[in-house]
Amino acid sequence: MAQVRIGVIGAGLIGRTHIGVLRAGGPDYTLAGVADPSPQAKQEAEALGYACYATIEEMLDKAKPDGAIVAVPNQLHVSSGLACIARKIPIIVEKPISD
């Protein structure tokens, strides 16, 4: 069985927690990429060896994850989720779903 490739949208406190779990790996899942525009997120990704994209759309279109975790500030949950839904990518959204 192939590993499920999961993208993480947002590399803040909660996003980094998800990134850590996915990087630790398992037989069933792996980190496909991260979407975060901050220079810190890009630096961390380069240091740890995973792909970081400046926009959600870029990560979804280039990394082509099988699923995504939305871990951005609450006001960005809806737009992030809709970007995934438009591409038929299943998501987990940190609560609340929207403001």
Side-chain angles (χ1 to χ4, degrees):
M1 172 187 240
Q3 288 184 315
V4 177
R5 300 177 67 255
I6 306 294
V8 177
I9 300 170
L13 179 63
I14 299 301
R16 284 193 310 271
T17 300
H18 290 291
I19 292 165
V21 169
L22 292 166
R23 284 192 70 244
D28 300 324
Y29 57 86
T30 189
L31 178 63
V34 174
D36 194 298
S38 74
Q40 296 86 357
K42 184 171 179 63
Q43 289 172 348
E44 185 171 315
E46 287 173 355
L48 297 174
Y50 59 86
C52 184
Y53 302 91
T55 69
I56 296 163
E57 294 79 11
E58 182 183 21
M59 189 269 288
L60 296 174
D61 294 339
K62 289 184 178 179
K64 300 197 182 300
D66 299 311
I69 297 170
V70 176
V72 292
N74 296 350
Q75 65 269 26
L76 300 175
H77 284 183
V78 171
S79 60
S80 300
L82 289 174
C84 294
I85 290 168
R87 291 161 177 82
K88 297 181 169 54
I89 296 172
I91 55 175
I92 294 174
V93 181
E94 286 289 336
K95 62 183 181 181
I97 295 292
S98 71
D99 281 339

